[in-house]
């Protein structure tokens, strides 16, 4: 008979072994359950792309990181039964996943989310929730992606909790050129570290 372990079993780091099951990206004989393209043919709203690079504490790109996003639709409704305001509006689910490439780069194709209320009913600036899984981390990190051209950022109750000199680590800036492409790098540690939230 096996002996009982002492205490709680620790969580495991992500490492590169997640790729086969979670982010195969056409490299294995396996289908992605979720991809980095959240756009569905019947969804409404402004289509956009968010892209960037994930860096470690030494400023080196992380080639085997996994990112997940969760967001509201363009009317500010989540595709979840817990969102009592939700209406059957599209096949848009608001959830996506991708792995970083060999250069640490990631990208999500999605729509601009609408404003959602916080727990007190105050409107939040449109944003996307982001979870970061990476080697060496026993627990994934949570942060947000805001948009640099959103006037509502100035009154967002969550963004107001972040020191002014660090808010830029959460704000994706629109790139010049054709199409709506926003750029936001994620820094896991060190200088310019992205603001992560305790949840």
């Amino acid at each position: 008979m096996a002996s009982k372990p002492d205490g709680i079993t620790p969580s495991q780091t992500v490492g590169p072994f997640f790729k086969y099951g979670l982010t195969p990206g056409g490299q294995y004989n396996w289908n992605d359950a979720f991809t980095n393209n959240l756009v569905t043919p019947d969804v409404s709203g402004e289509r956009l792309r968010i892209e960037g690079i994930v860096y470690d504490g030494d400023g080196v790109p992380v080639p085997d990181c996994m990112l997940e996003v969760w967001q509201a639709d363009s009317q500010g409704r989540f595709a979840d039964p817990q969102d009592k305001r939700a209406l059957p509006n599209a096949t848009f689910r608001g959830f996506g996943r991708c792995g970083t490439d060999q250069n640490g780069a990631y990208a999500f194709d999605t729509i601009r989310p609408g404003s959602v209320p916080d727990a007190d009913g105050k409107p939040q600036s449109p944003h996307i929730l982001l979870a970061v899984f990476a080697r060496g981390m026993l627990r994934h990190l949570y942060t947000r992606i805001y948009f640099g051209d959103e006037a509502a950022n100035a009154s967002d109750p969550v963004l107001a909790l972040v020191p002014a000199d660090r808010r830029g680590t959460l704000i994706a800036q629109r790139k010049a050129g054709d199409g709506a492409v926003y750029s936001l790098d994620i820094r896991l540690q060190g200088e310019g570290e992205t603001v992560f939230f305790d949840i």
Side-chain angles (χ1 to χ4, degrees):
M1 180 175 207
S3 63
K4 284 179 86 173
D6 294 330
I8 298 173
T9 303
S11 98
Q12 296 295 309
T13 60
V14 175
F17 54 81
F18 71 87
K19 189 167 183 62
Y20 178 82
L22 297 176
T23 58
Q27 297 180 31
Y28 303 97
N29 186 18
W30 184 260
N31 293 324
D32 283 300
F34 299 98
T35 71
N36 66 332
N37 188 347
L38 286 68
V39 179
T40 56
D42 57 351
V43 70
S44 62
E46 177 192 0
R47 276 128 170 99
L48 54 83
R49 169 173 272 229
I50 301 168
E51 60 186 28
I53 298 174
V54 179
Y55 294 98
D56 67 15
D58 294 322
V60 177
V62 181
D64 52 6
C65 184
M66 184 175 78
L67 305 175
E68 291 182 344
V69 292
W70 170 243
Q71 69 170 86
D73 65 15
S74 61
Q75 288 80 41
R77 300 182 307 242
F78 286 98
D80 188 294
Q82 294 181 61
D83 188 342
K84 303 303 182 193
R85 305 164 302 119
L87 299 172
N89 64 317
T91 54
F92 180 75
R93 307 318 307 154
F95 180 83
R97 175 186 292 150
C98 77
T100 53
D101 66 15
Q102 67 273 12
N103 300 312
Y106 76 91
F108 287 99
D109 292 306
T110 187
I111 60 167
R112 183 184 294 269
S115 176
V116 298
D118 70 5
D120 297 324
K122 296 176 185 171
Q124 299 180 69
S125 185
H127 65 276
I128 296 175
L129 305 171
L130 176 68
V132 181
F133 302 77
R135 55 185 153 89
M137 296 181 350
L138 295 180
R139 295 178 188 262
H140 46 288
L141 303 172
Y142 295 99
T143 190
R144 288 183 168 202
I145 299 172
Y146 289 89
F147 302 93
D149 50 9
E150 272 292 343
N153 288 347
S155 59
D156 183 83
V158 175
L159 203 51
L161 298 173
V162 178
D165 63 335
R166 300 205 52 218
R167 290 178 193 158
T169 68
L170 304 176
I171 300 175
Q173 298 297 336
R174 190 166 184 150
K175 297 173 81 171
D178 295 334
V181 178
Y182 290 81
S183 177
L184 181 68
D185 292 337
I186 307 297
R187 297 183 184 276
L188 301 179
Q189 284 183 310
E191 187 176 349
E193 178 181 332
T194 298
V195 170
F196 298 105
F197 296 97
D198 289 329
I199 295 183

